[in-house]
Structure formats: C-alpha cells, structure tokens
Amino acid sequence: MRILVISDIHGNLPALDAVLQEAGPVDATWCLGDLVGYGPNPNECIERVRSLPNLICVLGKHDAAALGQIDLQAFNHEARFSVNWTQDHLNSDSLEFLCNLPEIEEYGNVTLAHGSPRNPIWEYLLDTHTAAVNFEFFETKICLVGHTHLPIAYYWLNGNHKTEWKIIPVGEPTRIIGRTILNPGSVGQPRDHDPRAAYGIYDPVENVWEAHRLSYDVSEVQRRIYAAGLPARHAIRLGEGW
Ligand code: ZN
C-alpha cells in the first residue's frame, strides 16, 4: 500500500505537479496543510489536491490566515502581503474547500496535524524537547506533521520521556519501529537549504516510510511569482531552499 504524504505546498503548482507525477498512482494522499500562501497558484493547487482519490487533508496556518481566522500581526511584512494577495485571489470553490478542513485527523494508527498534535495551527516541532511533550497529545503510534518545512523524524524513547531525531535518508525505505512523529518536508518551499521538493511515501501495512526529494522547474514558479507581483523574496528563497 502506498500513501503519498505531502505538506506545505504554498501555491507552488510546478512543484506539486512534479511530485504528483513522480509519485504516480497511490492508494491515498494525506496532505498536512498550508496549501496556499507565498505562491502564485493557490486555486490550482487546491483544485489538484481536492481531486486526489482517498484524500485526507488538514488545515494549515496559512490556510487559516487566508480564511481570515488569524490576526495578520502574527506574520512578517512579506508573509502578510502574501496572505492579503491570497485572500484577494481565492475563488469560492477554494474557500469552501479550506473552510471545511479539520485541524486534526486520525486514520488507523496515524494522527495528522499541521504543526503539532498539541497545537495544530501554531506550534513548530523544531527540537526534541517540544517533540517529547507532544507525544502526550496523540494516542496513535505515528503522528504526521508539517509546518517547519524540514523533513525529520522524532522517535519516542520509551520510559524516559525523551525523544531522539533523525533525518531519514532519501532512497532508503525505513521501517518505523516505535512511536514516531514524522515530517515529510515541504513540497513548495523547502527550508533545509535543499531547494528540491520534499514528500514521503508511507506504507501503513509494512509500516515503512520513504523520504523523497525531487528537482522541479523552480525558474517557472519564480517567473509566476514576479508576474503576480508577489514579494521577490518568495522567489529568491525557492532557488536556495530557505
Ligand atoms: Zn508552511
């Protein structure tokens, strides 16, 4: 069984299309939020994602902001500009889709949340201490998160309330043994200084995770960002992966 796990697409259609093409036929797709914000194709990205069979999708921070659910003071100047731009450009179908997204979902042995199970919209899992606390906030074996745009796995060390982290190597299918929080990284705006799109393929039967990175046409999305009048910073960072 192959489940495509994607997150933080951020309106980057060339990256999303490249990922969908490389992943090929899958049994289901799980999307961990932030379909919009920063990028120039929010409606097209939502349209692609919502048409995927057996989709589970949760609400991200930028999705909530686009819906007017977040005080824009929480964003820096350029991110705020892009939230306003996105609000001006989302069509009614896109708004309806985002409006109906849950903050947290469970499927079998897996919990899905954008930021963290404790605080799905806001919290960043960037260190082992914060990850350790969050193991108390979900009951399944695995929790999938996005939000940091960094691919990483946090492993629960049973009994001493600690975790350790690991970056699962690309191209090495890895069996998930104990309780684990996994982040597939970002499709549309990677921040680990590797500009390639990131995603995961998860097999819940064998409990195996595959980390993937994929080059796509960055210059095309940069061109669209400039054409849309979005901040140049959003284009520059895509070329460098930050
Ligand atoms: Zn994001």
Side-chain angles (χ1 to χ4, degrees), residues 179-196:
R179 295 190 78 211
T180 304
I181 298 174
L182 274 162
N183 188 325
S186 168
V187 169
Q189 196 192 77
R191 293 182 187 162
D192 57 352
H193 300 281
D194 179 346
R196 294 178 300 166

Side-chain angles (χ1 to χ4, degrees), residues 7-10 32-38 60-62 114 124 146-149 186 189 191:
S7 191
D8 298 279
I9 299 159
H10 284 293
L32 305 169
D34 274 6
L35 289 85
V36 305
Y38 298 121
K61 183 179 167 192
H62 282 258
H114 177 62
Y124 291 91
H147 195 33
T148 63
H149 299 207
S186 168
Q189 196 192 77
R191 293 182 187 162

Side-chain angles (χ1 to χ4, degrees), residues 3-104:
I3 295 173
L4 171 63
V5 183
I6 52 177
S7 191
D8 298 279
I9 299 159
H10 284 293
N12 185 340
L13 189 64
L16 176 61
D17 277 344
V19 165
L20 294 178
Q21 193 182 3
E22 184 182 77
V26 291
D27 298 294
T29 298
W30 295 349
C31 177
L32 305 169
D34 274 6
L35 289 85
V36 305
Y38 298 121
N41 294 116
N43 292 309
E44 295 85 347
C45 287
I46 290 172
E47 210 178 301
R48 288 285 196 286
V49 169
R50 74 184 305 181
S51 71
L52 298 169
N54 300 319
L55 173 74
I56 299 177
C57 186
V58 293
L59 184 75
K61 183 179 167 192
H62 282 258
D63 307 322
L67 292 171
Q69 296 176 357
I70 288 182
D71 183 348
L72 295 189
Q73 296 304 322
F75 292 87
N76 67 37
H77 175 72
E78 281 150 332
R80 205 178 313 150
F81 184 96
S82 94
V83 171
N84 284 325
W85 184 94
T86 303
Q87 287 174 338
D88 288 344
H89 287 79
L90 282 180
N91 62 35
S92 55
D93 284 351
S94 296
L95 285 169
E96 189 201 348
F97 177 77
L98 294 181
C99 223
N100 287 303
L101 293 180
E103 288 191 9
I104 200 152

Side-chain angles (χ1 to χ4, degrees), residues 169-239:
V170 172
E172 290 181 25
T174 301
R175 191 176 297 273
I176 308 300
I177 306 293
R179 295 190 78 211
T180 304
I181 298 174
L182 274 162
N183 188 325
S186 168
V187 169
Q189 196 192 77
R191 293 182 187 162
D192 57 352
H193 300 281
D194 179 346
R196 294 178 300 166
Y199 68 98
I201 298 285
Y202 175 58
D203 180 343
V205 178
E206 300 296 330
N207 213 21
V208 167
W209 180 264
E210 291 172 25
H212 289 266
R213 296 307 284 258
L214 173 64
S215 297
Y216 69 96
D217 191 350
V218 174
S219 62
E220 173 57 24
V221 68
Q222 288 174 323
R223 190 189 63 72
R224 295 183 195 183
I225 287 171
Y226 289 121
L230 284 160
R233 180 183 161 89
H234 298 342
I236 295 162
R237 67 190 302 174
L238 292 180

